[in-house]
Amino acid sequence: MRLLIFLTIAFTCLATFASKPTPVNPLVERLDSVLKISDDFAHAKQTRIDLLCKKKSSGMKDEERLWLNKMLYDEYYVYKADSAMNYVNDNIDIARRIGRKDIEQEWRINKTFLYAAQGLLSEAEKELASIDVASIDKDTRFSYYETAIYLYSHLSQYIGNPNGMSERYDSISDSLRHEAVKYISPSNPSYYSFRASMLTDPSDPEWAPVKHKLAESLKQSPLNNRISAINAYTLAKMCLKEGDEAGHTDNLIKSAIADIRMSNRDIASLEELSDIFYRQGDIDHGYGCISYCFKAALQYPNRVRVVNISSVIDRFQQAAEQRNADQEHKLSRSLLAVSILSIVLVLTLIATFIQFFKLKHSHRSLVDSETRLNEHMKELHETHKRLNDVNQELTEANEKLRRSNDKLVKSNSIKEEYVGYVFSICSNYLTKIEEFRKNIARKLKVGKIEDVKNLISSSQIEQDELNDFYHSFDTIFLHIYPNFVEDFNKLLRPEEQIVLKKDELLNTELRIYALIRLGINNSVKISDFLHISPQTVYNNRLRTRNKAIVSKDEFTARVRWLGKE
């Protein structure tokens, strides 16, 4: 049984190890993501083309039309050759019309490039032969030689080597390079890639500086233009000559990324990558690359490349079919192994269950005893817990009762003191009324009628009594609610808080809200109580509510709760 378990575990570990994924080159992942959104780049290019087409008008001058055609050609020449050719022919006609032979020759060079890019090599040779090199300037001469090199490189690639033709075209290309180098300066974006194309030996003193310049330009490049694609492709070729296969592959990927992002359909780097993936056994990536190349060649179109790529696609399809056959064979063997191990596993499980039931039977009585003991322990624990809860509830109830008694004692004390104040005020008023009556009686007896009139008509006594009343009210109220002024100010904005004068307990504004705190909310009753007009009460309440930090409706409710927290 142990042997069977060991075999099962060993097989599981082996399968886990065998299925461990192979690390993927981050550049390959980046290439995959760029390929997935290649249609978005093409859509963006078409949008730019549409905007340029909208600028065309019948009233444009020849110079303006030349420039607009050039901009459209720049968008089309590696994207859609047929459309680019229309603008080339139009500019050739314009150049003839305005008598600019130099411009005409420049656009004949572009026409040669388009013929070669489409695989129309015979037409390209004829067009190249018709160009008057003597009539073009230095910068354009480099474009002439560059296009000629491009043409003969394609002739060498596509025609093969019957009767040594490939070597002949390669020799012509080398001669053209040595002539073209006279017309290119370091300021030209293609300078270092062109210099690299002339180098064949890594031991050449110029090799390392040129390679360094190309590598530096790629570090600073967003990989979205033709110069970056050419520089990366050239650097890949240099790495290949050095025997650096990883560098060769990485730079081909960078070149392919730049080509895809600029929607270059005359793309060579991706075709070479497909061959690398094929040799590495990565059929899926290789097929994805060559399929994109085939689609691009059809859309460009390039007749020769379509034929060549078709044979490559056929090779990938055969490889995919062979891989599927191998996988089916491996799957069959795996299924057989899994079936055998499944039987082993079932036997192991049966033996394990037999042992399990034996152990279960022997330990059943012990489990029952432990279960009953656990139940008793659980009941004891629950009882202890309920007892603690009851004690806690009792403690909380006692605490609440104590606080209630304290509040009741305090409330009774305040009520007794408040009643004493009220009786004292009433007694004082009775005494003052009696003294006032006796004073009037004495004056009447002696005939001091005028003094009685003056005494009755004077408001000083009323004002004095009212001040005494306010002082008594303020004292009693603040004795009951000692923090009223401080709590009331917390309801007002900082700059609007009430500051009392020296020896002043409350002012009119605070007395109004003190009565509201006592439950007297009616403005008429407040005015009667304080012996002020209802309008004064209304104005004070309105002004105070406008100072509040809370809403007007909430303000009154908050005042009624002052001192209760």
PDB file of all heavy atoms in Angstrom, residues 39 93 95 100 108 112 156 159 170 185 285 331 357 364 377 382 400 429 437 478 484 488 491 498 520 526 547 560:
ATOM      1  N   ASP A  39      -4.603  46.768 -35.730  1.00  0.00           N
ATOM      2  CA  ASP A  39      -5.693  47.444 -36.448  1.00  0.00           C
ATOM      3  C   ASP A  39      -5.907  48.864 -35.930  1.00  0.00           C
ATOM      4  O   ASP A  39      -6.309  49.760 -36.685  1.00  0.00           O
ATOM      5  CB  ASP A  39      -6.986  46.636 -36.316  1.00  0.00           C
ATOM      6  CG  ASP A  39      -6.932  45.343 -37.123  1.00  0.00           C
ATOM      7  OD1 ASP A  39      -6.090  45.252 -38.034  1.00  0.00           O
ATOM      8  OD2 ASP A  39      -7.718  44.431 -36.838  1.00  0.00           O
ATOM      9  N   ASP A  93       3.655  65.107 -62.690  1.00  0.00           N
ATOM     10  CA  ASP A  93       2.946  65.969 -63.655  1.00  0.00           C
ATOM     11  C   ASP A  93       3.073  67.436 -63.270  1.00  0.00           C
ATOM     12  O   ASP A  93       3.284  68.301 -64.138  1.00  0.00           O
ATOM     13  CB  ASP A  93       1.468  65.565 -63.701  1.00  0.00           C
ATOM     14  CG  ASP A  93       1.268  64.178 -64.316  1.00  0.00           C
ATOM     15  OD1 ASP A  93       2.182  63.714 -65.024  1.00  0.00           O
ATOM     16  OD2 ASP A  93       0.204  63.571 -64.057  1.00  0.00           O
ATOM     17  N   ALA A  95       5.474  68.837 -61.496  1.00  0.00           N
ATOM     18  CA  ALA A  95       6.856  69.267 -61.709  1.00  0.00           C
ATOM     19  C   ALA A  95       7.106  69.572 -63.181  1.00  0.00           C
ATOM     20  O   ALA A  95       7.818  70.543 -63.534  1.00  0.00           O
ATOM     21  CB  ALA A  95       7.815  68.182 -61.211  1.00  0.00           C
ATOM     22  N   ARG A 100      10.101  72.163 -63.276  1.00  0.00           N
ATOM     23  CA  ARG A 100      11.082  71.824 -62.230  1.00  0.00           C
ATOM     24  C   ARG A 100      11.558  70.401 -62.453  1.00  0.00           C
ATOM     25  O   ARG A 100      10.991  69.424 -61.936  1.00  0.00           O
ATOM     26  CB  ARG A 100      10.462  71.973 -60.849  1.00  0.00           C
ATOM     27  CG  ARG A 100      10.167  73.401 -60.443  1.00  0.00           C
ATOM     28  CD  ARG A 100      11.458  74.186 -60.208  1.00  0.00           C
ATOM     29  NE  ARG A 100      12.274  73.583 -59.174  1.00  0.00           N
ATOM     30  CZ  ARG A 100      12.146  73.851 -57.878  1.00  0.00           C
ATOM     31  NH1 ARG A 100      11.232  74.713 -57.484  1.00  0.00           N
ATOM     32  NH2 ARG A 100      12.936  73.271 -57.003  1.00  0.00           N
ATOM     33  N   ARG A 108      10.557  60.616 -59.391  1.00  0.00           N
ATOM     34  CA  ARG A 108      10.829  59.382 -60.136  1.00  0.00           C
ATOM     35  C   ARG A 108      11.579  58.379 -59.247  1.00  0.00           C
ATOM     36  O   ARG A 108      11.387  57.165 -59.351  1.00  0.00           O
ATOM     37  CB  ARG A 108      11.639  59.693 -61.396  1.00  0.00           C
ATOM     38  CG  ARG A 108      10.823  60.319 -62.523  1.00  0.00           C
ATOM     39  CD  ARG A 108      11.628  60.420 -63.811  1.00  0.00           C
ATOM     40  NE  ARG A 108      10.802  60.941 -64.889  1.00  0.00           N
ATOM     41  CZ  ARG A 108       9.972  60.205 -65.623  1.00  0.00           C
ATOM     42  NH1 ARG A 108       9.856  58.899 -65.364  1.00  0.00           N
ATOM     43  NH2 ARG A 108       9.263  60.736 -66.586  1.00  0.00           N
ATOM     44  N   THR A 112      10.391  54.659 -58.330  1.00  0.00           N
ATOM     45  CA  THR A 112      11.233  53.463 -58.398  1.00  0.00           C
ATOM     46  C   THR A 112      11.111  52.654 -57.110  1.00  0.00           C
ATOM     47  O   THR A 112      11.007  51.418 -57.130  1.00  0.00           O
ATOM     48  CB  THR A 112      12.703  53.857 -58.633  1.00  0.00           C
ATOM     49  OG1 THR A 112      12.805  54.635 -59.821  1.00  0.00           O
ATOM     50  CG2 THR A 112      13.587  52.632 -58.734  1.00  0.00           C
ATOM     51  N   SER A 156      18.489  40.629 -55.787  1.00  0.00           N
ATOM     52  CA  SER A 156      19.342  39.557 -55.283  1.00  0.00           C
ATOM     53  C   SER A 156      18.553  38.569 -54.438  1.00  0.00           C
ATOM     54  O   SER A 156      18.763  37.360 -54.507  1.00  0.00           O
ATOM     55  CB  SER A 156      20.487  40.151 -54.462  1.00  0.00           C
ATOM     56  OG  SER A 156      21.254  39.142 -53.859  1.00  0.00           O
ATOM     57  N   ILE A 159      15.515  36.816 -56.970  1.00  0.00           N
ATOM     58  CA  ILE A 159      15.856  36.074 -58.172  1.00  0.00           C
ATOM     59  C   ILE A 159      16.661  34.813 -57.871  1.00  0.00           C
ATOM     60  O   ILE A 159      16.800  33.925 -58.711  1.00  0.00           O
ATOM     61  CB  ILE A 159      16.636  36.986 -59.155  1.00  0.00           C
ATOM     62  CG1 ILE A 159      16.453  36.469 -60.593  1.00  0.00           C
ATOM     63  CG2 ILE A 159      18.115  37.045 -58.802  1.00  0.00           C
ATOM     64  CD1 ILE A 159      16.917  37.459 -61.639  1.00  0.00           C
ATOM     65  N   ASP A 170      24.602  41.716 -55.745  1.00  0.00           N
ATOM     66  CA  ASP A 170      25.264  42.118 -54.495  1.00  0.00           C
ATOM     67  C   ASP A 170      26.461  43.002 -54.796  1.00  0.00           C
ATOM     68  O   ASP A 170      26.733  43.983 -54.079  1.00  0.00           O
ATOM     69  CB  ASP A 170      25.708  40.882 -53.711  1.00  0.00           C
ATOM     70  CG  ASP A 170      24.538  40.118 -53.120  1.00  0.00           C
ATOM     71  OD1 ASP A 170      23.447  40.722 -53.003  1.00  0.00           O
ATOM     72  OD2 ASP A 170      24.713  38.939 -52.775  1.00  0.00           O
ATOM     73  N   SER A 185      25.616  62.841 -44.807  1.00  0.00           N
ATOM     74  CA  SER A 185      26.346  63.464 -43.703  1.00  0.00           C
ATOM     75  C   SER A 185      25.830  62.895 -42.368  1.00  0.00           C
ATOM     76  O   SER A 185      24.749  62.326 -42.307  1.00  0.00           O
ATOM     77  CB  SER A 185      26.130  64.985 -43.723  1.00  0.00           C
ATOM     78  OG  SER A 185      24.769  65.286 -43.487  1.00  0.00           O
ATOM     79  N   HIS A 285       3.905  31.461 -32.108  1.00  0.00           N
ATOM     80  CA  HIS A 285       4.416  32.814 -32.347  1.00  0.00           C
ATOM     81  C   HIS A 285       4.867  32.973 -33.803  1.00  0.00           C
ATOM     82  O   HIS A 285       4.627  34.014 -34.426  1.00  0.00           O
ATOM     83  CB  HIS A 285       5.575  33.122 -31.409  1.00  0.00           C
ATOM     84  CG  HIS A 285       5.151  33.623 -30.077  1.00  0.00           C
ATOM     85  ND1 HIS A 285       5.292  32.898 -28.918  1.00  0.00           N
ATOM     86  CD2 HIS A 285       4.547  34.781 -29.704  1.00  0.00           C
ATOM     87  CE1 HIS A 285       4.810  33.574 -27.906  1.00  0.00           C
ATOM     88  NE2 HIS A 285       4.360  34.733 -28.344  1.00  0.00           N
ATOM     89  N   LEU A 331      -0.691  12.589 -25.584  1.00  0.00           N
ATOM     90  CA  LEU A 331      -1.920  12.573 -24.806  1.00  0.00           C
ATOM     91  C   LEU A 331      -2.416  11.152 -24.596  1.00  0.00           C
ATOM     92  O   LEU A 331      -2.885  10.791 -23.503  1.00  0.00           O
ATOM     93  CB  LEU A 331      -2.989  13.419 -25.517  1.00  0.00           C
ATOM     94  CG  LEU A 331      -4.341  13.534 -24.811  1.00  0.00           C
ATOM     95  CD1 LEU A 331      -4.172  14.188 -23.449  1.00  0.00           C
ATOM     96  CD2 LEU A 331      -5.325  14.339 -25.663  1.00  0.00           C
ATOM     97  N   PHE A 357     -12.521   2.302   8.732  1.00  0.00           N
ATOM     98  CA  PHE A 357     -13.685   1.749   9.446  1.00  0.00           C
ATOM     99  C   PHE A 357     -13.267   0.908  10.648  1.00  0.00           C
ATOM    100  O   PHE A 357     -13.960   0.882  11.669  1.00  0.00           O
ATOM    101  CB  PHE A 357     -14.535   0.919   8.487  1.00  0.00           C
ATOM    102  CG  PHE A 357     -15.372   1.766   7.566  1.00  0.00           C
ATOM    103  CD1 PHE A 357     -15.168   1.740   6.198  1.00  0.00           C
ATOM    104  CD2 PHE A 357     -16.355   2.612   8.079  1.00  0.00           C
ATOM    105  CE1 PHE A 357     -15.929   2.528   5.347  1.00  0.00           C
ATOM    106  CE2 PHE A 357     -17.125   3.402   7.229  1.00  0.00           C
ATOM    107  CZ  PHE A 357     -16.907   3.363   5.861  1.00  0.00           C
ATOM    108  N   ARG A 364     -14.994   4.125  18.740  1.00  0.00           N
ATOM    109  CA  ARG A 364     -16.346   4.680  18.848  1.00  0.00           C
ATOM    110  C   ARG A 364     -16.724   4.971  20.293  1.00  0.00           C
ATOM    111  O   ARG A 364     -17.281   6.026  20.609  1.00  0.00           O
ATOM    112  CB  ARG A 364     -17.341   3.703  18.237  1.00  0.00           C
ATOM    113  CG  ARG A 364     -18.777   4.229  18.227  1.00  0.00           C
ATOM    114  CD  ARG A 364     -19.678   3.301  17.459  1.00  0.00           C
ATOM    115  NE  ARG A 364     -19.249   3.225  16.064  1.00  0.00           N
ATOM    116  CZ  ARG A 364     -19.706   2.326  15.213  1.00  0.00           C
ATOM    117  NH1 ARG A 364     -20.569   1.402  15.612  1.00  0.00           N
ATOM    118  NH2 ARG A 364     -19.282   2.324  13.961  1.00  0.00           N
ATOM    119  N   MET A 377     -19.046  19.818  29.739  1.00  0.00           N
ATOM    120  CA  MET A 377     -18.169  20.984  29.867  1.00  0.00           C
ATOM    121  C   MET A 377     -18.800  22.205  29.205  1.00  0.00           C
ATOM    122  O   MET A 377     -18.714  23.326  29.709  1.00  0.00           O
ATOM    123  CB  MET A 377     -16.817  20.674  29.222  1.00  0.00           C
ATOM    124  CG  MET A 377     -15.982  19.648  29.978  1.00  0.00           C
ATOM    125  SD  MET A 377     -15.484  20.213  31.611  1.00  0.00           S
ATOM    126  CE  MET A 377     -14.404  21.547  31.181  1.00  0.00           C
ATOM    127  N   GLU A 382     -21.565  27.302  29.595  1.00  0.00           N
ATOM    128  CA  GLU A 382     -22.712  28.176  29.314  1.00  0.00           C
ATOM    129  C   GLU A 382     -23.324  28.703  30.604  1.00  0.00           C
ATOM    130  O   GLU A 382     -23.724  29.865  30.689  1.00  0.00           O
ATOM    131  CB  GLU A 382     -23.756  27.401  28.512  1.00  0.00           C
ATOM    132  CG  GLU A 382     -23.336  27.058  27.088  1.00  0.00           C
ATOM    133  CD  GLU A 382     -23.187  28.295  26.249  1.00  0.00           C
ATOM    134  OE1 GLU A 382     -23.886  29.284  26.521  1.00  0.00           O
ATOM    135  OE2 GLU A 382     -22.346  28.280  25.315  1.00  0.00           O
ATOM    136  N   LYS A 400     -26.925  52.238  37.421  1.00  0.00           N
ATOM    137  CA  LYS A 400     -27.973  53.126  36.917  1.00  0.00           C
ATOM    138  C   LYS A 400     -28.844  53.645  38.060  1.00  0.00           C
ATOM    139  O   LYS A 400     -29.226  54.815  38.074  1.00  0.00           O
ATOM    140  CB  LYS A 400     -28.841  52.374  35.910  1.00  0.00           C
ATOM    141  CG  LYS A 400     -28.152  52.091  34.584  1.00  0.00           C
ATOM    142  CD  LYS A 400     -29.073  51.342  33.650  1.00  0.00           C
ATOM    143  CE  LYS A 400     -28.381  51.031  32.325  1.00  0.00           C
ATOM    144  NZ  LYS A 400     -29.267  50.268  31.414  1.00  0.00           N
ATOM    145  N   TYR A 429     -40.911  91.567  47.570  1.00  0.00           N
ATOM    146  CA  TYR A 429     -41.839  92.426  46.837  1.00  0.00           C
ATOM    147  C   TYR A 429     -42.987  92.875  47.749  1.00  0.00           C
ATOM    148  O   TYR A 429     -43.438  94.023  47.699  1.00  0.00           O
ATOM    149  CB  TYR A 429     -42.376  91.704  45.601  1.00  0.00           C
ATOM    150  CG  TYR A 429     -41.496  91.884  44.402  1.00  0.00           C
ATOM    151  CD1 TYR A 429     -40.823  90.822  43.848  1.00  0.00           C
ATOM    152  CD2 TYR A 429     -41.319  93.151  43.835  1.00  0.00           C
ATOM    153  CE1 TYR A 429     -39.988  90.971  42.767  1.00  0.00           C
ATOM    154  CE2 TYR A 429     -40.482  93.310  42.755  1.00  0.00           C
ATOM    155  CZ  TYR A 429     -39.818  92.241  42.211  1.00  0.00           C
ATOM    156  OH  TYR A 429     -38.983  92.400  41.150  1.00  0.00           O
ATOM    157  N   ARG A 437     -46.679 101.743  50.122  1.00  0.00           N
ATOM    158  CA  ARG A 437     -48.016 102.175  50.544  1.00  0.00           C
ATOM    159  C   ARG A 437     -47.925 103.110  51.754  1.00  0.00           C
ATOM    160  O   ARG A 437     -48.581 104.152  51.801  1.00  0.00           O
ATOM    161  CB  ARG A 437     -48.861 100.936  50.882  1.00  0.00           C
ATOM    162  CG  ARG A 437     -50.329 101.252  51.253  1.00  0.00           C
ATOM    163  CD  ARG A 437     -51.036 100.034  51.774  1.00  0.00           C
ATOM    164  NE  ARG A 437     -50.440  99.589  53.034  1.00  0.00           N
ATOM    165  CZ  ARG A 437     -50.689 100.180  54.205  1.00  0.00           C
ATOM    166  NH1 ARG A 437     -51.489 101.219  54.313  1.00  0.00           N
ATOM    167  NH2 ARG A 437     -50.120  99.721  55.301  1.00  0.00           N
ATOM    168  N   LEU A 478     -28.731  80.857  36.515  1.00  0.00           N
ATOM    169  CA  LEU A 478     -27.337  80.412  36.394  1.00  0.00           C
ATOM    170  C   LEU A 478     -26.950  79.465  37.519  1.00  0.00           C
ATOM    171  O   LEU A 478     -26.001  78.679  37.374  1.00  0.00           O
ATOM    172  CB  LEU A 478     -26.384  81.610  36.363  1.00  0.00           C
ATOM    173  CG  LEU A 478     -26.476  82.475  35.106  1.00  0.00           C
ATOM    174  CD1 LEU A 478     -25.556  83.686  35.223  1.00  0.00           C
ATOM    175  CD2 LEU A 478     -26.101  81.655  33.863  1.00  0.00           C
ATOM    176  N   PHE A 484     -24.643  77.662  31.175  1.00  0.00           N
ATOM    177  CA  PHE A 484     -25.562  78.029  30.093  1.00  0.00           C
ATOM    178  C   PHE A 484     -24.898  78.963  29.070  1.00  0.00           C
ATOM    179  O   PHE A 484     -25.012  78.746  27.860  1.00  0.00           O
ATOM    180  CB  PHE A 484     -26.816  78.680  30.674  1.00  0.00           C
ATOM    181  CG  PHE A 484     -27.783  79.144  29.620  1.00  0.00           C
ATOM    182  CD1 PHE A 484     -28.600  78.234  28.961  1.00  0.00           C
ATOM    183  CD2 PHE A 484     -27.863  80.495  29.254  1.00  0.00           C
ATOM    184  CE1 PHE A 484     -29.476  78.652  27.979  1.00  0.00           C
ATOM    185  CE2 PHE A 484     -28.731  80.907  28.267  1.00  0.00           C
ATOM    186  CZ  PHE A 484     -29.550  79.982  27.636  1.00  0.00           C
ATOM    187  N   PHE A 488     -24.285  77.965  25.327  1.00  0.00           N
ATOM    188  CA  PHE A 488     -25.039  78.716  24.326  1.00  0.00           C
ATOM    189  C   PHE A 488     -24.100  79.290  23.254  1.00  0.00           C
ATOM    190  O   PHE A 488     -24.392  79.256  22.050  1.00  0.00           O
ATOM    191  CB  PHE A 488     -25.814  79.842  25.013  1.00  0.00           C
ATOM    192  CG  PHE A 488     -26.737  80.592  24.073  1.00  0.00           C
ATOM    193  CD1 PHE A 488     -27.976  80.079  23.731  1.00  0.00           C
ATOM    194  CD2 PHE A 488     -26.346  81.795  23.510  1.00  0.00           C
ATOM    195  CE1 PHE A 488     -28.819  80.758  22.872  1.00  0.00           C
ATOM    196  CE2 PHE A 488     -27.177  82.482  22.644  1.00  0.00           C
ATOM    197  CZ  PHE A 488     -28.425  81.951  22.323  1.00  0.00           C
ATOM    198  N   LEU A 491     -23.128  77.252  20.224  1.00  0.00           N
ATOM    199  CA  LEU A 491     -24.078  77.148  19.118  1.00  0.00           C
ATOM    200  C   LEU A 491     -23.928  78.304  18.131  1.00  0.00           C
ATOM    201  O   LEU A 491     -24.600  78.303  17.092  1.00  0.00           O
ATOM    202  CB  LEU A 491     -25.510  77.102  19.650  1.00  0.00           C
ATOM    203  CG  LEU A 491     -25.864  75.942  20.578  1.00  0.00           C
ATOM    204  CD1 LEU A 491     -27.292  76.076  21.072  1.00  0.00           C
ATOM    205  CD2 LEU A 491     -25.662  74.614  19.859  1.00  0.00           C
ATOM    206  N   ILE A 498     -21.415  85.767  22.300  1.00  0.00           N
ATOM    207  CA  ILE A 498     -21.827  86.853  23.216  1.00  0.00           C
ATOM    208  C   ILE A 498     -20.774  87.036  24.302  1.00  0.00           C
ATOM    209  O   ILE A 498     -20.376  86.066  24.967  1.00  0.00           O
ATOM    210  CB  ILE A 498     -23.194  86.537  23.847  1.00  0.00           C
ATOM    211  CG1 ILE A 498     -24.249  86.439  22.726  1.00  0.00           C
ATOM    212  CG2 ILE A 498     -23.578  87.569  24.880  1.00  0.00           C
ATOM    213  CD1 ILE A 498     -25.583  85.919  23.219  1.00  0.00           C
ATOM    214  N   ILE A 520     -40.549  78.185  27.930  1.00  0.00           N
ATOM    215  CA  ILE A 520     -41.415  79.295  27.521  1.00  0.00           C
ATOM    216  C   ILE A 520     -40.959  79.726  26.130  1.00  0.00           C
ATOM    217  O   ILE A 520     -39.964  80.437  25.983  1.00  0.00           O
ATOM    218  CB  ILE A 520     -41.337  80.468  28.522  1.00  0.00           C
ATOM    219  CG1 ILE A 520     -41.687  79.984  29.925  1.00  0.00           C
ATOM    220  CG2 ILE A 520     -42.264  81.598  28.094  1.00  0.00           C
ATOM    221  CD1 ILE A 520     -41.476  81.023  31.008  1.00  0.00           C
ATOM    222  N   ILE A 526     -42.883  85.681  26.679  1.00  0.00           N
ATOM    223  CA  ILE A 526     -41.523  86.102  27.033  1.00  0.00           C
ATOM    224  C   ILE A 526     -41.474  87.614  27.237  1.00  0.00           C
ATOM    225  O   ILE A 526     -40.853  88.119  28.180  1.00  0.00           O
ATOM    226  CB  ILE A 526     -40.540  85.661  25.938  1.00  0.00           C
ATOM    227  CG1 ILE A 526     -40.433  84.137  25.897  1.00  0.00           C
ATOM    228  CG2 ILE A 526     -39.161  86.264  26.154  1.00  0.00           C
ATOM    229  CD1 ILE A 526     -39.608  83.605  24.745  1.00  0.00           C
ATOM    230  N   LYS A 547     -26.933  84.059  13.731  1.00  0.00           N
ATOM    231  CA  LYS A 547     -25.546  83.879  14.152  1.00  0.00           C
ATOM    232  C   LYS A 547     -25.199  82.407  14.366  1.00  0.00           C
ATOM    233  O   LYS A 547     -24.036  82.071  14.596  1.00  0.00           O
ATOM    234  CB  LYS A 547     -25.291  84.622  15.481  1.00  0.00           C
ATOM    235  CG  LYS A 547     -25.526  86.113  15.435  1.00  0.00           C
ATOM    236  CD  LYS A 547     -25.332  86.694  16.838  1.00  0.00           C
ATOM    237  CE  LYS A 547     -25.638  88.183  16.901  1.00  0.00           C
ATOM    238  NZ  LYS A 547     -25.482  88.702  18.288  1.00  0.00           N
ATOM    239  N   ARG A 560     -33.015  74.028  23.897  1.00  0.00           N
ATOM    240  CA  ARG A 560     -33.820  73.328  24.914  1.00  0.00           C
ATOM    241  C   ARG A 560     -33.082  72.164  25.548  1.00  0.00           C
ATOM    242  O   ARG A 560     -33.440  71.721  26.634  1.00  0.00           O
ATOM    243  CB  ARG A 560     -35.111  72.818  24.267  1.00  0.00           C
ATOM    244  CG  ARG A 560     -36.067  73.936  23.880  1.00  0.00           C
ATOM    245  CD  ARG A 560     -37.257  73.395  23.130  1.00  0.00           C
ATOM    246  NE  ARG A 560     -38.189  74.460  22.736  1.00  0.00           N
ATOM    247  CZ  ARG A 560     -39.196  74.288  21.898  1.00  0.00           C
ATOM    248  NH1 ARG A 560     -39.410  73.105  21.360  1.00  0.00           N
ATOM    249  NH2 ARG A 560     -39.984  75.302  21.603  1.00  0.00           N
TER     250      ARG A 560
END
